[in-house]
Amino acid sequence: MMATTAMQLAIDAFGPIADNAGGIAEMSGLPKEVRERTDILDATGNTTAATGKGFAIASAALTALALFAAYVGLAGITAIDIYKANVLAMLFVGAMIPFLFSSMAISAVGKAAMDMVKEVRRQFKEIPGIMEYKAKPEYEKCVAISTQASIREMILPGALALLSPIIVGFAFGPEALGGLLAGITVSGVLMGIFQNNAGGAWDNAKKSFEKGVLIDGQIYKKGSDPHKAAVTGDTVGDPFKDTSGPSMNILIKLTSIVALIIAPHINEGGAHPTMPGHEHHDHSHGAVVTPTVEPVAAASTVDVSDRF
């Protein structure tokens, strides 16, 4: 998997470069055919990005598996019994958390986008000559809206990822927390793959109308009703492939790391696990307790001098 790192970086970089090239071509007033070429490259970039994100979510799953194994050892449990009511309940709760996290992320994107639309409308209204390139827009205000929303709106999803393992671990024990992690990992991986692929498909569906799409024997192009429907779909597809889908990697890894950190504190039996053959330090008296070894009984000596 590490051998494909260079290829994955190249795949991930292709999409944003092609997308930015199209935006620069349009803002620079270049000929129409330049924009058509960049749209083709952008559609290819969406496909490569979905492939790269698939590798990323697979990497997150393997990382979560390794962290899960470490957690089981530190938590002092040998198995996770789903026949226990609290474990089974937390398994379902964990499966629901990626959906809740995803909904928060998509909602945050929608709120920030509406704030930016209002700001753009205000500038068109109050600064005449923007469309004629006679006046300069206030770009910094749109950037401020985006950056502030990215911090403010992510507080709640971040708290969900950080606090859910802590609450479950201390309230229900290490075995229930193991069920929560299993639910988050399985559900999060599937959600991440689905959203990355679906988002790219929605974006490419919108771009396909640039050249025309054959629907029921009729060619539909940009500005038609099917194109408007595709644009509406892309307003969901963009948060899917750029926000919610990639964030599943963070959710899976973060919850596993938090569980690993608190594992010694919720260890069954209340003692920190020690490796066999290692000394155990008695922190209350500052002494080192070493395993006691029973002295071997000395063999009785026999005076054999009188036998000769």
Side-chain angles (χ1 to χ4, degrees):
M1 199 165 193
M2 294 297 292
T4 62
T5 301
M7 182 182 69
Q8 294 308 314
L9 290 173
I11 286 175
D12 287 335
F14 182 88
I17 292 171
D19 199 355
N20 285 355
I24 292 169
E26 189 168 346
M27 289 187 292
S28 304
L30 294 178
K32 186 179 178 182
E33 58 269 16
V34 176
R35 180 60 178 169
E36 290 175 355
R37 291 169 186 166
T38 57
D39 282 339
I40 296 172
L41 291 173
D42 192 17
T44 308
N46 287 331
T47 306
T48 59
T51 306
K53 289 168 185 173
F55 275 88
I57 196 73
S59 170
L62 291 176
T63 304
L65 185 62
L67 292 172
F68 189 79
Y71 164 78
V72 169
L74 283 175
I77 54 178
T78 56
I80 297 174
D81 187 2
I82 63 170
Y83 284 107
K84 294 181 180 179
N86 60 342
V87 177
L88 185 61
M90 289 306 109
L91 185 67
F92 280 103
V93 171
M96 289 188 288
I97 285 178
F99 289 88
L100 181 59
F101 188 92
S102 179
S103 68
M104 290 178 180
I106 293 172
S107 177
V109 172
K111 289 177 184 176
M114 284 308 301
D115 290 341
M116 197 169 293
V117 167
K118 291 176 183 177
E119 174 61 25
V120 170
R121 286 175 176 171
R122 182 196 67 79
Q123 292 191 26
F124 278 137
K125 190 181 294 182
E126 298 179 4
I127 308 175
I130 290 179
M131 294 301 293
E132 292 80 18
Y133 298 96
K134 295 178 181 177
K136 186 178 179 181
E138 297 174 349
Y139 299 112
E140 65 279 358
K141 292 193 175 180
C142 290
V143 174
I145 290 171
S146 179
T147 52
Q148 288 170 8
S150 66
I151 297 172
R152 184 181 64 250
E153 298 293 340
M154 286 296 107
I155 292 174
L156 196 55
L160 176 67
L162 285 171
L163 296 178
S164 56
I166 296 174
I167 293 171
V168 172
F170 284 102
F172 301 100
E175 205 168 338
L177 179 53
L180 182 84
L181 294 178
I184 290 174
T185 301
V186 174
S187 179
V189 168
L190 297 177
M191 280 283 288
I193 295 173
F194 156 67
Q195 290 181 341
N196 290 330
N197 291 337
W202 258 315
D203 200 353
N204 284 353
K206 181 195 71 174
K207 286 183 173 62
S208 63
F209 285 94
E210 300 288 342
K211 282 195 169 184
V213 177
L214 181 64
I215 302 175
D216 295 332
Q218 185 176 352
I219 299 292
Y220 292 92
K221 291 195 173 183
K222 194 173 181 178
S224 62
D225 287 339
H227 175 255
K228 293 175 183 176
V231 170
T232 303
D234 193 37
T235 58
V236 181
D238 277 340
F240 260 39
K241 70 183 179 66
D242 295 327
T243 304
S244 180
S247 69
M248 291 296 108
N249 303 350
I250 301 168
L251 175 67
I252 293 168
K253 292 177 182 177
L254 188 58
T255 51
S256 298
I257 290 171
V258 171
L260 190 62
I261 291 171
I262 68 170
H265 304 286
I266 59 173
N267 180 278
E268 286 194 343
H272 293 277
T274 55
M275 294 297 292
H278 286 67
E279 296 176 347
H280 173 66
H281 293 265
D282 186 354
H283 297 286
S284 59
H285 298 90
V288 177
V289 180
T290 56
T292 57
V293 180
E294 292 294 333
V296 179
S300 58
T301 58
V302 179
D303 188 4
V304 295
S305 59
D306 58 345
R307 296 184 183 180
F308 298 98

